[in-house]
Amino acid sequence: MRPFPSPSGRVVVAPSVLSADFADLKRCLAPLRRLAGWMHFDVMDGHFVPNLSFGPGLLPAVAEASGLPVDAHLMVERPAMFVEPFAKAGASLITVHAEAEGAAACVSKIRKLGLKAGVSLKPKTPASKLAPFIGKVDLVLIMTVEPGFGGQSFMADMLPKVYEARYRISRGGRPAWLQVDGGINEATAAPCAAAGADSLVMGSALFRAPDPAALLRRLARSL
């Protein structure tokens, strides 16, 4: 498990493994090592969201190829089943959905295992659902697409929720990253950062770019 960074006041990008080239992970991820904050690893069970993705067995390869900490984003109905397997696989932070079964207990379990913990909200879930988690998590994730598939368009009407989440974090007494995931590209990154986000998950826009490393350098200069 690699140490997970604390908020630093700068905006970082977390590349989404969902859009990476699995035929050559090292070639795909290694150039991003000094430019990205950490890797974002989407876990989908086909029930909580209408898609399937990765199990814990792939996570060590992602960590090795990237040289970065990995956040396992559990988009699953019963996250309690997955916390220990992903902790053992080397996740540095595990994010659970507030809408999932036993989310609050999972956050406590993640922290007892010595990992950082995050909580996520789907687009239709109001920011008020963060109340039980603020002050207990290290990351708040606001979804700006309906989770399940990469390459979707950014939902601009989620920006007020990003503002509210930042306000709640600032009043909560515990530093936490505010992450936005869904439709992030060079055009949508700036309004998210202006709304208070300091972590941006970027998948298809990053890995389909002619030079992903150059894209991350441009974002580092502009945000």
Side-chain angles (χ1 to χ4, degrees):
M1 180 181 73
R2 290 171 169 80
F4 197 85
S6 298
S8 60
R10 68 184 185 93
V11 180
V12 302
V13 172
S16 173
V17 183
L18 198 62
S19 299
D21 179 4
F22 290 96
D24 194 346
L25 275 178
K26 187 171 183 179
R27 177 197 60 78
C28 184
L29 302 183
L32 311 180
R33 180 171 302 182
R34 299 184 184 281
L35 302 168
W38 59 85
M39 298 303 302
H40 187 84
F41 192 92
D42 285 312
V43 182
M44 297 182 268
D45 64 356
H47 298 282
F48 188 76
V49 295
N51 197 4
L52 291 167
S53 62
F54 320 115
L58 183 63
L59 193 146
V62 170
E64 178 66 24
S66 66
L68 291 168
V70 179
D71 165 19
H73 176 196
L74 303 185
M75 292 182 277
V76 299
E77 279 188 350
R78 299 179 180 178
M81 297 172 55
F82 295 83
V83 168
E84 287 197 32
F86 277 94
K88 290 177 180 177
S92 300
L93 183 146
I94 297 178
T95 299
V96 300
H97 269 263
E99 307 91 350
E101 179 182 304
C106 284
V107 167
S108 297
K109 185 174 183 179
I110 292 164
R111 298 193 60 79
K112 287 177 181 176
L113 290 170
L115 280 65
K116 298 291 181 73
V119 65
S120 181
L121 298 182
K122 288 182 176 182
K124 293 179 183 177
T125 303
S128 60
K129 294 295 185 181
L130 291 171
F133 302 94
I134 295 297
K136 300 176 182 177
V137 294
D138 305 283
L139 180 145
V140 171
L141 169 55
I142 303 298
M143 297 297 301
T144 47
V145 298
E146 289 294 343
F149 296 91
Q152 299 184 68
S153 297
F154 177 78
M155 299 168 68
D157 58 347
M158 292 295 106
L159 286 172
K161 189 194 291 190
V162 178
Y163 276 104
E164 184 176 349
R166 172 51 67 195
Y167 175 76
R168 287 176 177 271
I169 291 170
S170 68
R171 294 289 297 271
R174 179 186 181 87
W177 293 96
L178 176 53
Q179 186 171 74
V180 174
D181 181 4
I184 301 298
N185 54 38
E186 284 191 88
T188 58
C192 290
D198 53 6
S199 173
L200 306 173
V201 177
M202 186 175 286
S204 56
L206 176 65
F207 290 110
R208 293 176 186 171
D211 187 339
L215 173 55
L216 290 185
R217 292 189 190 96
R218 288 197 302 274
L219 286 171
R221 290 192 298 267
S222 64
L223 297 176

